[in-house]
Amino acid sequence: MHHASEPDSPAPTEPFESLDPAARLAAVLGALAPWPEDGSRPDGPVAVDATDRLLLDEAAPLLADAGPDDVVVIGDRFGALTLGALTLGPSRVRSFTDAVTAEAALDHHLSADLADLVRGGRREVHLVRADLYTEASHLLAGARLVLLQLPPSLAELTEIAEAVARYAADDVVVLAGGRVKHMTRSMNEVLAASFTDVRATLARQKSRALVATGVRPEARDAAPAFPARAVLRDRELLAAAAPSGGTSPADVTVAAHGGVFAGTTLDLGTRFLLTTAEKWPGADRVHDAVDLGSGSGLLATVLALRYPDARVVGTDRSAAAVASTQATAEANGVGGRVVALRGDAGEDLEPASADLILLNPPFHDRTAVRTDAAHRMFRAAGRALRQGGELWCVFNTALHYREALTRAAGPTVHVAQNPKFTVTRSRRR
Ligand SMILES: C[S@@+](CC[C@H](N)C(=O)[O-])C[C@H]1O[C@@H](n2cnc3c(N)ncnc32)[C@H](O)[C@@H]1O
């Protein structure tokens, strides 16, 4: 297990039961590490940021009085908020976080050593996971305290606020925190659309929390704004979706939850990848196809439309992307042949199971920190391709991925280039 190099407080030597919750919290937070990151990069994320600490301090009196059905944590990064809430509060906390990697971090931290600390004198603590997009009522029904790391996009915040207003108790308190530099007035406005009172706490160590209370009656019954839908008629999209010898669909519908990359629009890189569709393998060679890092799932749907006999997997680490990929496929009548999976960098793909993989890899983490996700996706694609199978990848030309793709997936050629993007084809030997 990884430990932070300099824990905030020394590991306790007294039995955990005799430590008060604040002391246990300090020990728990001190033991968290960014995971699976190794924490060695100077620009890397920290396991517990000032926002986590501010939110837990603001929440402490409420947590102390909370019951087992009261507390929900959304958007936890490495487990600090969830483990903190369990340490200071009730023995059961509900939790949702978009990225499967954040979930893995929480699981990792709830492993034996920390579980004892979190539990203190209690017999058991329970972490209940539920998906905001497919199980919102399970996640939020009757909640009285929601701790939230503010998401980067207003659309994602809107979707969260609407779900809380729809399902939580009337007296719910939402504590939503972020780094001051990432916070805007529009976030207050988004919360104010669902709650009657929104105020900000004082900033502390460059973090601030918004406190939203008073569910608006009209927000309880409002029709959900997400997944948002749009009908796309982009030429490249329709042409790529045409099966060999068949005609293009008149349009393609995209469904996108708030947190999804590019929302309901067609990303420029994705559009450029679609212009190469004529050169993708023929239908006789494609039985299993993959949209790796599927986002809204437009590529998964194009694959299912273009190859009417193929099975298609869309995989993404984001729960919003997984739900959107499935919804987009269903909206275009191919839901039965598209399976959306949640996994980190394609690690969930079966070895030697795919004939064609399309990839528009991420180049930034949600917090604008560079990641190695693209390289891990190349390796996962290499493993997942059958012999002779092809990985088609689009990326910013400046990234020079050809050698890495060759190493990871097989001999790679540049197929198309415009001033901004390059499309490559890698073929598995
Ligand atoms: C550039 S977007 C492409 C989305 C979609 N394929 C499209 O063309 O619009 C990259 C996608 O990779 C996903 N992603 C980022 N890091 C990931 C990881 N470690 N594992 C799996 N997916 C990841 C993001 O959630 C995002 O949906």
Side-chain angles (χ1 to χ4, degrees), residues 133-147:
Y133 306 109
T134 56
E135 309 171 305
S137 80
H138 189 45
L139 177 70
L140 287 160
R144 302 183 61 213
L145 174 62
V146 176
L147 300 183

Side-chain angles (χ1 to χ4, degrees), residues 100-101 260-262 265 267 270 291-299 315-318 321 343-346 360-364 371 373 376-377:
V100 73
T101 38
V260 163
F261 169 84
T265 66
D267 170 60
T270 304
D291 175 0
L292 181 49
S294 61
S296 65
L298 270 175
L299 288 174
T315 171
D316 203 292
R317 72 164 176 184
S318 152
D344 181 20
N360 175 2
F363 45 92
H364 284 306
T371 67
R376 290 192 292 127
M377 286 169 148

